Amino acid sequence: MKVAVTSVFVDDQEKAKGFYTGVLGFAVKHDVPLGGDARWLTVVSPADPEGVELLLEPNGTPIAQTYQRGVREAGLPVIILAVDDLAKEHERLTGLGVRFTAPPTQTGPVLSAILDDTCGNLVSLQQPLG
């Protein structure tokens, strides 16, 4: 077995699509209307287009909204994204106006930073050390 799709709840799929593709640099893999405003909207790393898909899932239920709000209020990232050079990514993203809630900091065997994805979530960027 292997992970094929994982998801994050977002409060606005179109805004999430813009952030995850236009700012973070992911590529849209699927964008399929599901009725109403909902879509099967997944993004992938351009470096691994056949790899794990990240589903930008609408938080349209009270359970999803409560979960998303609770995790955010606790200061917990909903996903960890790997980067090769955290200092460079932090500088690039800060230049694009991305708000970081935690600057690059060594945490055990990694450097990590936490950013606000503008769609209701905190996201951790991590660079392995050594």
mmCIF file of all heavy atoms in Angstrom, residues 82-103:
data_model
loop_
_atom_site.group_PDB
_atom_site.id
_atom_site.type_symbol
_atom_site.label_atom_id
_atom_site.label_comp_id
_atom_site.label_asym_id
_atom_site.label_seq_id
_atom_site.Cartn_x
_atom_site.Cartn_y
_atom_site.Cartn_z
ATOM 1 N N ALA A 82 7.790 19.253 2.550
ATOM 2 C CA ALA A 82 9.254 19.203 2.537
ATOM 3 C C ALA A 82 9.808 20.221 1.547
ATOM 4 O O ALA A 82 9.265 20.391 0.452
ATOM 5 C CB ALA A 82 9.728 17.801 2.152
ATOM 6 N N VAL A 83 10.882 20.897 1.962
ATOM 7 C CA VAL A 83 11.587 21.835 1.092
ATOM 8 C C VAL A 83 13.077 21.538 1.173
ATOM 9 O O VAL A 83 13.561 21.019 2.178
ATOM 10 C CB VAL A 83 11.306 23.308 1.462
ATOM 11 C CG1 VAL A 83 9.842 23.650 1.285
ATOM 12 C CG2 VAL A 83 11.751 23.623 2.874
ATOM 13 N N ASP A 84 13.797 21.859 0.108
ATOM 14 C CA ASP A 84 15.246 21.635 0.093
ATOM 15 C C ASP A 84 16.010 22.723 0.831
ATOM 16 O O ASP A 84 17.045 22.463 1.424
ATOM 17 C CB ASP A 84 15.753 21.547 -1.348
ATOM 18 C CG ASP A 84 15.233 20.313 -2.064
ATOM 19 O OD1 ASP A 84 15.003 19.291 -1.408
ATOM 20 O OD2 ASP A 84 15.045 20.401 -3.298
ATOM 21 N N ASP A 85 15.504 23.968 0.760
ATOM 22 C CA ASP A 85 16.205 25.104 1.354
ATOM 23 C C ASP A 85 15.172 26.005 2.022
ATOM 24 O O ASP A 85 14.558 26.858 1.371
ATOM 25 C CB ASP A 85 16.971 25.858 0.264
ATOM 26 C CG ASP A 85 17.829 26.990 0.799
ATOM 27 O OD1 ASP A 85 17.542 27.524 1.895
ATOM 28 O OD2 ASP A 85 18.795 27.360 0.106
ATOM 29 N N LEU A 86 14.971 25.819 3.318
ATOM 30 C CA LEU A 86 13.933 26.550 4.033
ATOM 31 C C LEU A 86 14.194 28.047 4.056
ATOM 32 O O LEU A 86 13.270 28.848 3.894
ATOM 33 C CB LEU A 86 13.767 26.011 5.460
ATOM 34 C CG LEU A 86 12.650 26.660 6.275
ATOM 35 C CD1 LEU A 86 11.303 26.545 5.582
ATOM 36 C CD2 LEU A 86 12.584 26.051 7.663
ATOM 37 N N ALA A 87 15.442 28.457 4.219
ATOM 38 C CA ALA A 87 15.744 29.890 4.245
ATOM 39 C C ALA A 87 15.327 30.549 2.927
ATOM 40 O O ALA A 87 14.716 31.623 2.915
ATOM 41 C CB ALA A 87 17.226 30.116 4.509
ATOM 42 N N LYS A 88 15.643 29.891 1.830
ATOM 43 C CA LYS A 88 15.294 30.425 0.510
ATOM 44 C C LYS A 88 13.775 30.474 0.323
ATOM 45 O O LYS A 88 13.233 31.467 -0.168
ATOM 46 C CB LYS A 88 15.943 29.547 -0.571
ATOM 47 C CG LYS A 88 15.739 30.029 -1.978
ATOM 48 C CD LYS A 88 16.492 29.136 -2.948
ATOM 49 C CE LYS A 88 16.249 29.525 -4.384
ATOM 50 N NZ LYS A 88 16.963 28.643 -5.309
ATOM 51 N N GLU A 89 13.063 29.415 0.720
ATOM 52 C CA GLU A 89 11.600 29.391 0.595
ATOM 53 C C GLU A 89 10.961 30.435 1.499
ATOM 54 O O GLU A 89 10.003 31.099 1.112
ATOM 55 C CB GLU A 89 11.044 28.006 0.922
ATOM 56 C CG GLU A 89 11.122 27.022 -0.212
ATOM 57 C CD GLU A 89 10.367 27.481 -1.459
ATOM 58 O OE1 GLU A 89 9.198 27.933 -1.368
ATOM 59 O OE2 GLU A 89 10.951 27.387 -2.546
ATOM 60 N N HIS A 90 11.477 30.568 2.709
ATOM 61 C CA HIS A 90 10.941 31.567 3.633
ATOM 62 C C HIS A 90 11.087 32.968 3.033
ATOM 63 O O HIS A 90 10.143 33.758 3.056
ATOM 64 C CB HIS A 90 11.657 31.462 4.990
ATOM 65 C CG HIS A 90 11.155 32.426 6.003
ATOM 66 N ND1 HIS A 90 11.780 33.623 6.250
ATOM 67 C CD2 HIS A 90 10.075 32.375 6.834
ATOM 68 C CE1 HIS A 90 11.120 34.268 7.191
ATOM 69 N NE2 HIS A 90 10.082 33.545 7.561
ATOM 70 N N GLU A 91 12.234 33.261 2.485
ATOM 71 C CA GLU A 91 12.472 34.566 1.860
ATOM 72 C C GLU A 91 11.549 34.777 0.660
ATOM 73 O O GLU A 91 10.939 35.840 0.507
ATOM 74 C CB GLU A 91 13.932 34.671 1.427
ATOM 75 C CG GLU A 91 14.282 36.015 0.818
ATOM 76 C CD GLU A 91 15.749 36.118 0.423
ATOM 77 O OE1 GLU A 91 16.579 35.325 0.927
ATOM 78 O OE2 GLU A 91 16.060 36.994 -0.390
ATOM 79 N N ARG A 92 11.429 33.767 -0.190
ATOM 80 C CA ARG A 92 10.567 33.863 -1.386
ATOM 81 C C ARG A 92 9.124 34.086 -0.986
ATOM 82 O O ARG A 92 8.445 34.982 -1.503
ATOM 83 C CB ARG A 92 10.695 32.586 -2.224
ATOM 84 C CG ARG A 92 9.842 32.588 -3.495
ATOM 85 C CD ARG A 92 9.940 31.273 -4.248
ATOM 86 N NE ARG A 92 9.147 30.222 -3.660
ATOM 87 C CZ ARG A 92 7.839 30.055 -3.846
ATOM 88 N NH1 ARG A 92 7.158 30.909 -4.598
ATOM 89 N NH2 ARG A 92 7.191 29.042 -3.283
ATOM 90 N N LEU A 93 8.632 33.284 -0.053
ATOM 91 C CA LEU A 93 7.233 33.365 0.343
ATOM 92 C C LEU A 93 6.929 34.651 1.099
ATOM 93 O O LEU A 93 5.883 35.263 0.898
ATOM 94 C CB LEU A 93 6.841 32.128 1.163
ATOM 95 C CG LEU A 93 6.850 30.818 0.370
ATOM 96 C CD1 LEU A 93 6.672 29.623 1.297
ATOM 97 C CD2 LEU A 93 5.802 30.823 -0.733
ATOM 98 N N THR A 94 7.839 35.074 1.951
ATOM 99 C CA THR A 94 7.657 36.342 2.656
ATOM 100 C C THR A 94 7.575 37.482 1.646
ATOM 101 O O THR A 94 6.742 38.382 1.779
ATOM 102 C CB THR A 94 8.806 36.574 3.658
ATOM 103 O OG1 THR A 94 8.803 35.500 4.606
ATOM 104 C CG2 THR A 94 8.636 37.883 4.406
ATOM 105 N N GLY A 95 8.395 37.421 0.610
ATOM 106 C CA GLY A 95 8.361 38.417 -0.455
ATOM 107 C C GLY A 95 7.042 38.441 -1.206
ATOM 108 O O GLY A 95 6.653 39.461 -1.772
ATOM 109 N N LEU A 96 6.347 37.317 -1.220
ATOM 110 C CA LEU A 96 5.041 37.227 -1.869
ATOM 111 C C LEU A 96 3.901 37.601 -0.917
ATOM 112 O O LEU A 96 2.733 37.518 -1.281
ATOM 113 C CB LEU A 96 4.811 35.800 -2.400
ATOM 114 C CG LEU A 96 5.698 35.383 -3.571
ATOM 115 C CD1 LEU A 96 5.511 33.905 -3.888
ATOM 116 C CD2 LEU A 96 5.388 36.239 -4.800
ATOM 117 N N GLY A 97 4.249 37.975 0.322
ATOM 118 C CA GLY A 97 3.232 38.389 1.276
ATOM 119 C C GLY A 97 2.689 37.293 2.164
ATOM 120 O O GLY A 97 1.719 37.511 2.890
ATOM 121 N N VAL A 98 3.283 36.108 2.115
ATOM 122 C CA VAL A 98 2.828 35.006 2.967
ATOM 123 C C VAL A 98 3.154 35.341 4.420
ATOM 124 O O VAL A 98 4.255 35.800 4.729
ATOM 125 C CB VAL A 98 3.483 33.671 2.544
ATOM 126 C CG1 VAL A 98 3.151 32.562 3.529
ATOM 127 C CG2 VAL A 98 3.043 33.297 1.137
ATOM 128 N N ARG A 99 2.184 35.090 5.295
ATOM 129 C CA ARG A 99 2.370 35.351 6.726
ATOM 130 C C ARG A 99 2.819 34.075 7.417
ATOM 131 O O ARG A 99 2.164 33.034 7.316
ATOM 132 C CB ARG A 99 1.077 35.843 7.349
ATOM 133 C CG ARG A 99 1.231 36.281 8.809
ATOM 134 C CD ARG A 99 -0.043 36.861 9.358
ATOM 135 N NE ARG A 99 -1.058 35.865 9.597
ATOM 136 C CZ ARG A 99 -1.122 35.100 10.690
ATOM 137 N NH1 ARG A 99 -0.212 35.209 11.624
ATOM 138 N NH2 ARG A 99 -2.095 34.224 10.827
ATOM 139 N N PHE A 100 3.938 34.152 8.086
ATOM 140 C CA PHE A 100 4.456 33.034 8.866
ATOM 141 C C PHE A 100 4.081 33.239 10.324
ATOM 142 O O PHE A 100 4.249 34.335 10.858
ATOM 143 C CB PHE A 100 5.981 32.923 8.723
ATOM 144 C CG PHE A 100 6.405 32.263 7.444
ATOM 145 C CD1 PHE A 100 6.443 32.969 6.263
ATOM 146 C CD2 PHE A 100 6.740 30.915 7.424
ATOM 147 C CE1 PHE A 100 6.821 32.367 5.075
ATOM 148 C CE2 PHE A 100 7.122 30.293 6.245
ATOM 149 C CZ PHE A 100 7.161 31.021 5.064
ATOM 150 N N THR A 101 3.587 32.187 10.965
ATOM 151 C CA THR A 101 3.273 32.259 12.394
ATOM 152 C C THR A 101 4.445 31.779 13.232
ATOM 153 O O THR A 101 4.475 32.011 14.433
ATOM 154 C CB THR A 101 2.019 31.430 12.736
ATOM 155 O OG1 THR A 101 2.273 30.058 12.434
ATOM 156 C CG2 THR A 101 0.810 31.923 11.951
ATOM 157 N N ALA A 102 5.394 31.101 12.604
ATOM 158 C CA ALA A 102 6.632 30.676 13.266
ATOM 159 C C ALA A 102 7.749 30.754 12.239
ATOM 160 O O ALA A 102 7.634 30.204 11.145
ATOM 161 C CB ALA A 102 6.512 29.254 13.806
ATOM 162 N N PRO A 103 8.831 31.455 12.565
ATOM 163 C CA PRO A 103 9.951 31.595 11.633
ATOM 164 C C PRO A 103 10.757 30.293 11.552
ATOM 165 O O PRO A 103 10.550 29.382 12.374
ATOM 166 C CB PRO A 103 10.787 32.709 12.266
ATOM 167 C CG PRO A 103 10.542 32.550 13.726
ATOM 168 C CD PRO A 103 9.099 32.116 13.842
#
